[in-house]
Amino acid sequence: MFYTKTIENSLKYLNCTIDGLSTSQAKQRNERYGKNSLPSTIKSTLFDIFIEQFKSPIIYILLIAAIVSFVIQEFSDGGFIIAVLFINAFIGTYQEYTASQKADALKKIIKTYIIVLRDNKKIELLSDDITVGDIVFFESGVKVPADIRLIESNNLFVNESLLTGESIDVNKDANCMYTDIDIPIGDRKNMLYAGSMVTKGRAIGVVTNIGTTTAIGKIATLLEVSQITKPPLLLRMEKFSFNIAKIVFAVVLIIIIIGIYQNIEYKEIFFFTVALAVSTIPEGLPVAITVALSMASSVMSRKNVIVRKLSAIEGLGSCTLIASDKTGTMTQNKLSVEYFISPEKEYQSTEVVDEKILQCAILCNEVTLHIEDGKYNFLGDQVDVALTQYALNIDNTLNEFKKDILPVNNIPYEPENKFSAMSFIIDGEKIDFIKGSPEVILDKCLIEQTDFDNSINQVNQWASKGFRNIALAYKLNEDDNIAIDSYKYLGFSAIIDPLRDGVKEAIKTATNAGIDVVMVTGDHPNTALFIAQQLGISKSKHEVINGEELTHWHKNGAKKEDLENKRVFARVSPEQKQLIVQTFQDLGHFVAVTGDGVNDAPALKHANIGISMGKSGTDVARESSDLILTDDSFGSIVNGIKEGRVAYDNIRKVIHLLISTGFAEIVLILLSLVFFVPIPLLPVQLLWLNLVTNGIQDVALGLEKAEPNILKLKPRNPNEPIFNIIMISRVIVGGLYMGISAFVVFYTLLQYGYSEDMSRNITLLLMVLFENVHVFNSRTENNSIFKINHLNNKFLWISVIAAQGIHIISMYNPFMQSILNVQPVDLKIWGILFIIALVLIAVMECEKLIRKKLKG
């Protein structure tokens, strides 16, 4: 609580003096306190990432099936399962490792140095090497390396936006004192905090906290507590896999009961149970899901979104609420003059104005600028930078003009004065320029009362629009001192932190997609509300709540329903940002959080999906996120939402294909039990269907393009399972037709004297044809397959031809004949089977029509 201590008491408490530490003292303190750095995130090794791919319930089921297959010496069955698991693991490992490498590449390796007093001498030290009690010197452009109690300050302004969310530079004063220990960080004027940047002035301070004990360090510790929320896809897949396990157990139990009742040999019962287990488990699902997500990840990377975890893709697509930071995310964190309002006229920022306005704007400030690669680089107070940019945008020759003249005198800006002034000799005349609060500047001008009142009304009107207003004036003055009155009023500039390009459109698109957008910021409520109204996020002040009100809300019972209709959260702390996210989650939302600052990190970490900024964001924010926007554009989030929805739709398509064909296999085998006929398909043949023929096609199905109007649909109910009523209807109808048809064919072949092996061979070919046809039914849940574009996924056609071709080749290959127990089939029989398979299209089209009529 050094902001409540005097300078003398702070030095005494830290056991140091204004003369700084000695080398020996510094060494002792370095050993005691350690390095001035935050602990690096422990990186997962390639092996760790590989092992993570096996941590899924459905993978566990497949591993058990493989072990059982090896135990009963069904090595081909076990080998197939192990092969598919390793293929899935390799794909997932490659994708997540390369995404991690891309994220690491965004980090800028910059070593920060600071001037420190050691042995009563000024030396330059790496910021990591400073310690508690060091006396540190600051000037414009210096990044604050630790938490500092100011000892001296001179016209000091600091940008704390990455810590507090405030876009306006904060004036600091070493002589300020506080008695309230609960005063917010942004209001502690006698302190500097690690991560902030000095934009103007000079200062000397003493280091009070380093590393993890700084304000940033304490925020970082929030990332290590609380349970991290799982993405929706993982939650749904875990539930889906658990249901699959229950079905496997139930089916096995049914077979055992029927087998015992029919006095079937235990060995035969065992083979039946293995066959059913293989039919029930969608072995190709992990690979297909990984491919679908990897494809979405590839598309998103081309649209400036780096995916750190594949499961986060679908999570973004299923989010129902985006909680976005304002500064640096929706706005540019860069003040800009939008208008200049003179007594006679309102000018847009690019319109030519009176020469004295431009001279005042560029001369009456302390901005340092230089040209690099043809672009201006500015250093200084953000208001001064905005005015300088405004002047140069209209007349770029003013840069050389400013270089050629030096100020004669100046009055630096002081918060209590609310103005600054500088005088110059221009064309042989001494001119005093002044800028500051419009009320103060107008009082110093020669102006009629009516004009004064009109100007004040103008200022109030622009202030109500969320603009920060800075008035300008000048005076021809022969006196050596700067004038304090009788200025000529030029007007005022209307300054705002401008919106990022495309943000408004992106928010509208998100809203049309049924996604709520709320603003969570450390900025002033009025400023936040104005920006929110511009973006269409909020309509009235009743939708705004500030940090103080949140504190009272939390102390008075924290009824989550009270926040349900709030759309702007202003002046909030990092802890409160996290609380807001968790409250919306409790209200049933899947929450995506965007942010770039250290103050956003806890919320990013504990959201369902955390989205950080790759350009302006801090390392802490990026490490806490699931997705990184390389262009810092809010619009890229909408692209991500679209690809997330496409990925989820494709996963559902894959699941439909695999589960419906698996259900058909169950129906086929159960009917053989009921009618006392041999197993129609051997376990290895079922694996061939599930892993090879279907395995090729489901991967292609995972590459489907977006269906029409995907961003105009409402988000899915977060509690809706993957296996919803639509999926159940389609699986039952399609599965029953395929299963019953295959059994009828198998039974008929036996009745006509075909051997069991040949009957199985023909039945297996029919099932392959069913899969070839059914993959087209799986392309859309509600639209007719005759109304969709069948040329926008050419890989699907290739996969269908490949699946059929591989099976035909296997029927002629001696090695595969022995493994699969297959042989060539007459072309006439193939034609009959193909017609039976084509009828499946008519069956599924009828299902859609009936479902639509029942719904309508």
Side-chain angles (χ1 to χ4, degrees):
M1 309 295 182
F2 287 93
Y3 50 91
T4 63
K5 299 180 186 293
T6 63
I7 295 170
E8 293 75 15
N9 287 340
S10 296
L11 292 170
K12 184 177 179 180
Y13 184 87
L14 296 168
N15 192 24
C16 63
T17 69
I18 192 67
D19 295 326
L21 303 176
S22 66
T23 301
S24 59
Q25 286 177 318
K27 183 177 180 181
Q28 290 173 353
R29 296 190 181 208
N30 280 329
E31 291 173 353
R32 177 181 176 184
Y33 297 110
K35 286 278 188 183
N36 177 35
S37 60
L38 297 178
S40 300
T41 305
I42 299 175
K43 293 293 181 184
S44 298
T45 65
L46 199 61
F47 180 75
D48 292 333
I49 297 174
F50 181 74
I51 294 299
E52 281 292 322
Q53 309 306 312
F54 292 91
K55 295 182 179 180
S56 165
I58 198 166
I59 299 295
Y60 300 152
I61 295 172
L62 291 172
L63 284 171
I64 292 171
I67 292 170
V68 171
S69 298
F70 285 128
V71 168
I72 63 173
Q73 297 185 343
E74 292 291 337
F75 298 112
S76 57
D77 295 6
F80 267 124
I81 296 175
I82 294 298
V84 77
L85 291 182
F86 272 84
I87 292 171
N88 172 71
F90 282 127
I91 294 173
T93 300
Y94 172 78
Q95 181 60 44
E96 291 194 10
Y97 180 75
T98 53
S100 175
Q101 294 296 99
K102 290 177 184 177
D104 290 342
L106 288 172
K107 293 184 178 180
K108 298 178 181 178
I109 306 173
I110 301 176
K111 292 184 178 180
T112 304
Y113 290 88
I114 195 78
I115 302 297
V116 178
L117 201 60
R118 289 276 177 91
D119 298 318
N120 208 21
K121 294 179 182 179
K122 287 185 179 181
I123 63 171
E124 190 175 56
L125 276 183
L126 191 64
S127 61
D128 287 2
D129 295 332
I130 66 170
T131 189
V132 174
D134 265 324
I135 303 299
V136 186
F137 296 82
F138 297 96
E139 60 183 15
S140 297
V142 174
K143 185 176 182 180
V144 180
D147 289 357
I148 308 288
R149 172 59 167 95
L150 288 171
I151 297 173
E152 296 179 14
S153 60
N154 181 15
N155 197 30
L156 184 66
F157 285 81
V158 178
N159 187 315
E160 296 181 327
S161 62
L162 287 179
L163 188 65
T164 66
E166 274 277 17
S167 58
I168 303 297
D169 293 343
V170 181
N171 177 237
K172 297 289 185 174
D173 187 350
N175 296 318
C176 284
M177 272 292 296
Y178 304 96
T179 56
D180 183 5
I181 62 173
D182 292 325
I183 187 169
I185 284 180
D187 295 332
R188 300 171 191 171
K189 294 194 174 184
N190 58 8
M191 295 289 297
L192 300 182
Y193 288 98
S196 55
M197 178 75 72
V198 176
T199 58
K200 184 178 181 181
R202 303 287 188 273
I204 302 173
V206 59
V207 177
T208 61
N209 298 90
I210 63 172
T212 56
T213 62
T214 61
I216 283 180
K218 291 174 182 177
I219 291 173
T221 59
L222 291 173
L223 308 180
E224 300 174 2
V225 299
S226 303
Q227 184 177 359
I228 305 304
T229 308
K230 293 181 179 179
L233 179 62
L234 290 185
L235 296 174
R236 289 185 173 99
M237 288 310 300
E238 285 180 3
K239 186 175 182 180
F240 176 72
S241 300
F242 181 69
N243 290 335
I244 288 291
K246 289 192 294 186
I247 292 172
V248 170
F249 178 78
V251 169
V252 167
L253 190 62
I254 290 172
I255 291 177
I256 292 173
I257 293 172
I258 294 176
I260 293 174
Y261 176 77
Q262 294 182 353
N263 294 319
I264 299 175
E265 293 184 13
Y266 288 116
K267 183 179 180 181
E268 193 71 16
I269 293 175
F270 181 77
F271 276 108
F272 264 109
T273 58
V274 171
L276 257 296
V278 169
S279 300
T280 307
I281 300 171
E283 292 88 351
L285 185 57
V287 171
I289 290 177
T290 302
V291 169
L293 294 177
S294 296
M295 181 62 181
S297 174
S298 177
V299 173
M300 289 168 73
S301 68
R302 294 195 295 271
K303 296 182 178 180
N304 304 308
V305 182
I306 291 178
V307 180
R308 300 185 72 230
K309 288 287 184 181
L310 286 180
S311 56
I313 296 172
E314 184 274 336
L316 182 59
S318 65
C319 78
T320 59
L321 182 140
I322 301 174
S324 177
D325 178 41
K326 177 187 75 68
T327 306
T329 306
M330 293 179 171
T331 65
Q332 298 177 20
N333 192 19
K334 184 179 177 182
L335 296 183
S336 171
V337 175
E338 297 292 305
Y339 298 91
F340 190 87
I341 297 87
S342 74
E344 299 83 20
K345 183 180 177 181
E346 295 177 2
Y347 296 90
Q348 293 189 0
S349 60
T350 55
E351 289 185 77
V352 177
V353 294
D354 185 270
E355 182 184 38
K356 286 293 188 291
I357 293 174
L358 299 181
Q359 288 179 351
C360 186
I362 198 166
L363 294 178
C364 191
N365 65 50
E366 298 180 45
V367 166
T368 301
L369 67 119
H370 64 276
I371 300 175
E372 186 176 314
D373 296 330
K375 294 182 179 179
Y376 289 111
N377 282 332
F378 301 90
L379 184 60
D381 174 78
Q382 286 208 46
V383 171
D384 284 356
V385 170
L387 288 168
T388 302
Q389 285 181 311
Y390 165 66
L392 291 174
N393 285 340
I394 295 176
D395 183 359
N396 60 15
T397 64
L398 288 172
N399 182 33
E400 296 301 321
F401 170 74
K402 182 174 182 177
K403 288 180 182 179
D404 293 338
I405 58 174
L406 296 174
V408 176
N409 208 342
N410 76 92
I411 298 175
Y413 178 86
E414 294 293 345
E416 57 271 22
N417 295 333
K418 297 185 178 180
F419 76 91
S420 65
M422 301 183 80
S423 61
F424 298 84
I425 303 297
I426 301 176
D427 295 332
E429 292 182 311
K430 178 176 175 287
I431 304 178
D432 296 343
F433 293 105
I434 190 171
K435 77 173 192 298
S437 166
E439 294 81 1
V440 173
I441 301 301
L442 282 164
D443 272 336
K444 297 180 181 296
C445 293
L446 288 173
I447 187 171
E448 297 291 335
Q449 186 62 45
T450 303
D451 294 333
F452 181 96
D453 293 339
N454 289 337
S455 296
I456 290 295
N457 287 334
Q458 279 184 315
V459 169
N460 291 335
Q461 289 173 7
W462 284 90
S464 67
K465 299 176 185 178
F467 288 90
R468 185 179 185 185
N469 302 316
I470 302 296
L472 307 180
Y474 79 99
K475 179 182 180 179
L476 296 176
N477 185 18
E478 296 179 357
D479 196 320
D480 290 340
N481 295 321
I482 295 178
I484 60 172
D485 56 24
S486 302
Y487 280 84
K488 178 176 175 56
Y489 180 64
L490 293 170
F492 63 91
S493 58
I495 301 176
I496 200 166
D497 186 359
L499 301 177
R500 284 187 175 276
D501 291 338
V503 171
K504 187 174 183 178
E505 293 76 11
I507 290 174
K508 184 177 180 180
T509 301
T511 303
N512 290 338
I515 300 167
D516 293 330
V517 179
V518 301
M519 179 188 292
V520 185
T521 178
D523 217 337
H524 191 280
N526 290 343
T527 305
L529 175 59
F530 176 74
I531 296 296
Q533 288 175 326
Q534 277 191 306
L535 294 173
I537 293 174
S538 176
K539 295 180 180 179
S540 72
K541 63 181 180 180
H542 301 295
E543 296 176 317
V544 181
I545 185 170
N546 62 39
E548 185 178 349
E549 292 169 333
L550 273 172
T551 300
H552 292 309
W553 168 79
H554 195 241
K555 288 180 179 179
N556 295 331
K559 294 181 180 178
K560 56 182 180 288
E561 292 78 13
D562 294 339
L563 299 188
E564 192 165 10
N565 295 318
K566 300 297 181 184
R567 288 296 171 265
V568 179
F569 299 84
R571 281 280 195 252
V572 294
S573 67
E575 295 87 350
Q576 288 176 326
K577 287 188 177 185
Q578 181 179 324
L579 175 64
I580 292 164
V581 169
Q582 292 171 334
T583 300
F584 277 112
Q585 288 171 334
D586 292 340
L587 286 167
H589 284 285
F590 276 115
V591 181
V593 170
T594 74
D596 63 349
V598 175
N599 59 317
D600 300 314
L604 288 169
K605 188 75 171 181
H606 293 87
N608 293 91
I609 302 297
I611 309 166
S612 65
M613 303 296 146
K615 273 187 177 180
S616 62
T618 60
D619 287 345
V620 175
R622 286 193 289 266
E623 289 293 340
S624 306
S625 63
D626 302 293
L627 305 171
I628 300 173
L629 304 182
T630 60
D631 62 351
D632 288 7
S633 170
F634 190 92
S636 295
I637 299 171
V638 177
N639 293 331
I641 290 172
K642 177 181 178 181
E643 294 308 321
R645 289 189 175 189
V646 171
Y648 183 74
D649 284 352
N650 288 348
I651 288 169
R652 280 181 58 85
K653 293 170 184 177
V654 170
I655 290 174
H656 170 256
L657 175 66
L658 296 181
I659 298 301
S660 56
T661 52
F663 178 63
E665 293 162 4
I666 292 173
V667 171
L668 173 60
I669 293 174
L670 286 178
L671 286 174
S672 67
L673 272 175
V674 172
F675 288 94
F676 300 95
V677 297
I679 301 177
L681 296 174
L682 299 174
V684 71
Q685 293 174 327
L686 290 169
L687 276 172
W688 175 258
L689 283 173
N690 294 349
L691 295 181
V692 181
T693 55
N694 245 357
I696 296 172
Q697 296 181 156
D698 58 26
V699 169
L701 200 57
L703 304 179
E704 281 286 297
K705 304 290 191 234
E707 292 197 43
N709 301 322
I710 194 167
L711 281 179
K712 292 185 179 180
L713 302 174
K714 299 298 180 184
R716 298 179 303 278
N717 185 326
N719 297 318
E720 180 184 274
I722 289 177
F723 219 70
N724 61 3
I725 188 65
I726 295 175
M727 181 84 78
I728 291 171
S729 171
R730 300 183 74 215
V731 164
I732 289 176
V733 172
L736 283 176
Y737 174 77
M738 288 185 283
I740 293 172
S741 298
F743 175 75
V744 170
V745 168
F746 180 73
Y747 186 84
T748 301
L749 290 171
L750 289 177
Q751 294 300 310
Y752 276 87
Y754 284 81
S755 67
E756 289 183 15
D757 287 343
M758 179 54 77
S759 298
R760 288 192 181 107
N761 179 44
I762 295 173
T763 303
L764 177 61
L765 176 58
L766 175 61
M767 291 302 294
V768 171
L769 287 166
F770 272 139
E771 291 177 350
N772 295 154
V773 170
H774 202 43
V775 71
F776 293 99
N777 289 323
S778 300
R779 293 191 68 191
T780 177
E781 286 189 345
N782 301 305
N783 299 319
S784 169
I785 69 168
F786 299 111
K787 294 182 179 180
I788 62 176
N789 183 0
H790 288 287
L791 299 178
N792 64 1
N793 188 354
K794 296 178 182 178
F795 189 61
L796 185 66
W797 286 94
I798 295 172
S799 70
V800 169
I801 295 170
Q804 180 66 205
I806 289 172
H807 186 73
I808 292 174
I809 291 171
S810 298
M811 290 191 297
Y812 286 89
N813 182 278
F815 176 74
M816 295 304 298
Q817 285 176 344
S818 62
I819 291 179
L820 296 176
N821 197 22
V822 293
Q823 54 187 294
V825 172
D826 183 81
L827 183 60
K828 182 179 179 180
I829 294 177
W830 186 94
I832 294 171
L833 297 179
F834 183 60
I835 293 171
I836 295 172
L838 283 178
V839 176
L840 179 60
I841 293 177
V843 171
M844 297 309 297
E845 288 295 294
C846 289
E847 185 274 337
K848 291 175 189 174
L849 288 173
I850 294 171
R851 181 156 40 86
K852 283 183 180 179
K853 287 184 179 180
L854 291 176
K855 185 179 179 180

